[in-house]
């Protein structure tokens, strides 16, 4: 060393090192290298840009990567392919199918379980999951909304609101007012007038700077 070394002289499958650790040829495992290239029975790497392993188009599967020009992994009809990552992608793998041309448009779906798409990323997004039990969309900065079987949420300027099947709800028209209510309470806030009430009949009112009053069920 470091010029030359040979291991396994008593066998036919020897290990040769030349200018170790830059190059090595292992006839036992089939792993070889002449830095920055590494290869073996089922792979080839040109570090750090090119990586190939397995059989990407065969039954065993594998990947072929030349970063950032392409990135392909898959087997038979299943694949996940990027071209000039992250701009172009096409995927049909692990139950997910979709494509994108970023940032213009993209869409992905996993059967009927979930769906997602975007346009003019990061401005527009739309999504759903659990067979439509969760849906939502947003167009930044104009609005955001999401719906579930029990809740609804909508956010925007100037108006936003939310409600649930339990009876909780609120809405706001900024800067004019905010009001909220649940099974036991309700309230309204604005300038100059605000008020509130509960299920027992207790209430209050405020008109700035004129007056404040409150009323209770027993008086």
């Amino acid at each position: 060393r470091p010029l030359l070394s040979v291991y396994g002289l008593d066998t036919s499958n020897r290990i040769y090192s030349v200018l170790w650790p830059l190059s090595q040829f292992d006839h036992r495992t089939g792993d070889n290298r002449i830095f920055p290239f590494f290869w073996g029975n089922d792979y080839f790497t040109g570090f750090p840009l090119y990586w190939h392993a397995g059989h990407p188009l065969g039954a065993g599967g594998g990947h072929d990567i030349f970063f950032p020009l392409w990135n392909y992994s898959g087997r038979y009809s299943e694949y996940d392919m990027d071209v000039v990552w992250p701009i172009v992608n096409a995927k049909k793998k692990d139950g997910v199918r979709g494509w994108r041309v970023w940032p213009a448009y993209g869409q992905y779906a996993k059967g009927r379980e979930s769906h997602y798409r975007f346009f003019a990323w990061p401005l527009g997004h739309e999504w759903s999951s659990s067979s439509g039990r969760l849906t939502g969309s947003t167009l930044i900065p104009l609005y955001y909304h999401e719906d579930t079987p029990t809740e609804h949420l909508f956010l925007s300027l100037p108006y936003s609101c939310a409600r649930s099947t339990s009876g909780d709800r609120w809405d706001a028209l900024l800067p004019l007012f905010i009001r909220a209510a649940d099974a036991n309470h309700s309230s309204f806030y604005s300038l100059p007038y605000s008020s509130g009430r509960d299920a027992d009949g207790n209430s209050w009112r405020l008109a700035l700077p004129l007056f404040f009053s409150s009323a209770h069920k027993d008086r």
Side-chain angles (χ1 to χ4, degrees), residues 110-148:
K110 188 173 184 179
R112 296 184 178 180
E113 298 178 13
S114 62
H115 171 83
Y116 169 75
R117 69 178 175 180
F118 71 84
F119 59 91
W121 191 95
L123 301 181
H125 306 266
E126 182 183 77
W127 61 91
S128 67
S129 65
S130 301
S131 302
R133 292 178 60 83
L134 168 67
T135 61
S137 66
T138 183
L139 182 59
I140 299 171
L142 299 182
Y143 81 91
Y144 172 94
H145 105 272
E146 189 169 82
D147 287 312
T148 71

Side-chain angles (χ1 to χ4, degrees), residues 7 13-14 18 27 54 61 70 108 110 144 150 163 166-167 186 198 217:
Y7 297 89
N13 295 325
R14 298 173 181 175
V18 181
H27 293 282
W70 71 77
Y108 294 90
K110 188 173 184 179
Y144 172 94
T150 60
R163 65 177 182 269
S166 64
S186 64
D198 63 25
K217 63 178 181 179

Side-chain angles (χ1 to χ4, degrees), residues 144-147 150-156 159-173 178-182:
Y144 172 94
H145 105 272
E146 189 169 82
D147 287 312
T150 60
E151 295 182 343
H152 166 80
L153 175 65
F154 177 83
L155 302 175
S156 73
Y159 181 73
S160 300
C161 65
R163 65 177 182 269
S164 69
T165 55
S166 64
D168 298 343
R169 64 186 185 277
W170 64 266
D171 63 339
L173 182 61
I178 299 175
R179 60 185 174 185
D182 58 27

Side-chain angles (χ1 to χ4, degrees), residues 20-53:
W20 185 92
L22 295 181
S23 61
Q24 179 171 284
F25 308 92
D26 191 336
H27 293 282
R28 296 177 180 177
T29 64
D31 297 325
N32 308 287
R33 69 173 181 266
I34 301 175
F35 187 84
F37 301 100
F38 302 79
W39 69 94
N41 295 329
D42 209 18
Y43 71 93
F44 179 85
T45 300
F47 183 84
L49 298 181
Y50 183 72
W51 305 75
H52 177 93

